[in-house]
Amino acid sequence: MSLATPQKPTACLALADGTLFYGQGFGATGEAQAELCFNTSMSGYQEIMTDPSYAGQIVTFTFPHIGNVGVNPEDDETGDPVAAGMVVKWMPTQSSNWRAVQELSQWLASRGRIAIGGIDTRRLTRAIRQQGAPHVAIAHNPEGVFDVEALVASARAFPGLTGVDLAKGVTCAQSYRWDEMRWAWPDGYLPQTNPRKKVVAIDYGAKRNILRCLASAGCEVTVLPATATKEEVLAHNPDGVFLSNGPGDPAATGAYAVPMIKGILDDTELPVFGICLGHQMLALALGAKTIKMNHGHHGANHPVKEIDTGKVEITSMNHGFAVDGQTLPAGVVESHVSLFDGSNCGIRMTDRPVFSVQHHPEASPGPQDSFYLFERFVNSM
């Protein structure tokens, strides 16, 4: 019996410490540098790759069956993939799903995103957990030729995410209206035709499904860029202000976002609701601090406890920074906490309808454990 000839590697992942992983490349060719994280979700790879919160990151998927349902335009969270690359255990197989319109590899190639398969993702995940999120360089060359020393040097030269404002790179260029509601069988996405409240949503890298949830909860949504001022927000005469998710270091984005939020809090009684980076922006505006996590939270199976009720929600997470719950000022309390590591997952003011959560209530892994937060926001207006 003859042994099969092993495939020649066509992709390489180089860590800043010199560790190398070889595998098979798919998607685009070329090179990219980023911070490496891992995501434990069993589904939603397309939503993850198009989530603006992943700017500056390459995603290692711990679940091996990535690509088996293909891709389709309805599942994009923004126009194009934002994550810099993808690392998977098994090469994608031919898709098998009635909604698929394109193969994952073709989709990545057409949008300039590099991916590598055939990687020991368990080993890689252990390294991330033990050493923290490393800086890496990924290369895809069909000829299998790699300048390893240059790749390692490129990984070491990556500046990292601490102190970096990435929201300006993923926010909208100008304001726009949003009326599309959540997907529902058999009609898909329908428009909100009878909104009850007006909401201004600040786009630090907003996922489309967050805006859909606001519309489904009865909101007329106007989206403004991340750099919007207090005056620009109030010019729309909103009933509430929403602060979206987004990438990068909250302290860096806070340089321009915090003064706007402080102005809203000081000069109005408007309800305010924040998610992910918006949660961190609100915390900074209230006087708390944020910290960089070792490897962050990325997945769709994170248990979060609401302290007041004791209710445990299964949530979707995607963050590498967190609010330091020990720095909350008087009048602000911790509302949610991670049952994985005890980190802060929510805050609220005790005397006003101003609150935020670290997890993503629009991502529906529960599948609807956290939608009440949107209803709470609307009911507070």
Side-chain angles (χ1 to χ4, degrees):
M1 183 177 68
S2 62
L3 297 176
T5 303
Q7 285 185 296
K8 181 180 180 180
T10 58
C12 179
L13 180 71
L15 278 59
D17 66 1
T19 304
L20 300 174
F21 290 82
Y22 290 97
Q24 299 303 310
F26 61 99
T29 58
E31 298 180 10
Q33 303 77 38
E35 179 183 275
L36 185 69
C37 67
F38 67 87
N39 189 297
T40 59
S41 301
M42 297 176 68
S43 63
Y45 54 81
Q46 184 181 342
E47 291 92 328
I48 291 165
M49 291 298 292
T50 56
D51 180 349
S53 297
Y54 280 104
Q57 293 180 303
I58 291 171
V59 184
T60 299
F61 289 86
T62 62
F63 187 67
H65 300 286
I66 300 300
N68 57 354
V69 295
V71 295
N72 71 85
E74 289 188 332
D75 288 347
D76 286 340
E77 289 291 357
T78 192
D80 282 304
V82 181
M86 169 186 283
V87 180
V88 298
K89 180 174 178 62
W90 293 338
M91 291 290 287
T93 57
Q94 183 176 354
S95 63
S96 178
N97 187 273
W98 66 275
R99 298 174 68 228
V101 298
Q102 197 173 19
E103 298 295 331
L104 174 61
S105 182
Q106 298 170 338
W107 180 74
L108 291 170
S110 67
R111 287 161 171 80
R113 290 299 183 267
I114 301 171
I116 180 172
I119 296 296
D120 184 350
T121 52
R122 290 195 177 197
R123 177 189 168 198
L124 193 55
T125 298
R126 283 197 300 269
I128 296 170
R129 287 182 61 88
Q130 293 167 4
Q131 303 167 22
H135 297 171
V136 301
I138 188 172
H140 176 199
N141 180 354
E143 301 300 320
V145 178
F146 305 102
D147 185 338
V148 172
E149 291 185 0
L151 280 177
V152 173
S154 179
R156 291 173 178 169
F158 180 69
L161 303 184
T162 301
V164 178
D165 171 35
L166 294 175
K168 285 182 180 177
V170 295
T171 189
C172 55
Q174 59 188 22
S175 64
Y176 63 93
R177 291 287 183 89
W178 183 277
D179 64 359
E180 188 177 86
M181 297 191 296
R182 292 190 297 171
W183 195 94
W185 176 265
D187 300 309
Y189 297 120
L190 293 177
Q192 169 60 266
T193 58
N194 188 31
R196 306 189 307 276
K197 301 294 181 181
K198 294 173 62 177
V199 168
V200 165
I202 307 300
D203 176 15
Y204 301 119
K207 294 171 64 179
R208 290 174 177 171
N209 218 41
I210 290 179
L211 304 179
R212 293 185 187 112
C213 285
L214 289 169
S216 292
C219 297
E220 173 189 302
V221 183
T222 300
V223 184
L224 298 186
T227 54
T229 64
K230 178 194 72 173
E231 290 74 20
E232 289 170 335
V233 172
L234 297 181
H236 293 274
N237 193 29
D239 298 306
V241 176
F242 174 77
L243 310 173
S244 87
N245 64 295
D249 188 339
T253 304
Y256 54 86
V258 164
M260 181 279 289
I261 299 169
K262 280 185 175 180
I264 297 295
L265 296 175
D266 292 343
D267 299 343
T268 78
E269 293 294 325
L270 289 173
V272 178
F273 175 31
I275 288 175
C276 195
L277 182 61
H279 160 67
Q280 297 161 2
M281 291 296 94
L282 178 61
L284 290 174
L286 291 170
K289 296 180 180 180
T290 57
I291 53 176
K292 182 77 164 69
M293 304 176 77
N294 179 61
H295 55 272
H297 289 165
H298 307 277
N301 60 342
H302 287 250
V304 168
K305 181 178 180 180
E306 184 179 33
I307 294 174
D308 284 349
T309 63
K311 174 185 174 182
V312 176
E313 307 161 37
I314 301 303
T315 73
S316 179
M317 290 277 199
N318 173 25
H319 61 110
F321 293 81
V323 173
D324 184 350
Q326 302 301 312
T327 64
L328 297 179
V332 181
V333 298
E334 190 170 61
S335 60
H336 295 74
V337 64
S338 167
L339 294 185
F340 275 161
D341 59 11
S343 60
N344 175 266
C345 288
I347 60 173
R348 64 175 177 83
M349 294 187 70
T350 56
D351 59 349
R352 292 176 57 182
V354 173
F355 62 98
S356 59
V357 292
Q358 182 63 72
H359 53 281
H360 282 263
E362 84 290 343
S364 304
Q368 298 184 34
D369 288 8
S370 303
F371 186 73
Y372 72 92
L373 291 164
F374 293 98
E375 295 169 332
R376 178 179 294 175
F377 179 45
V378 172
N379 292 336
S380 69
M381 296 182 206

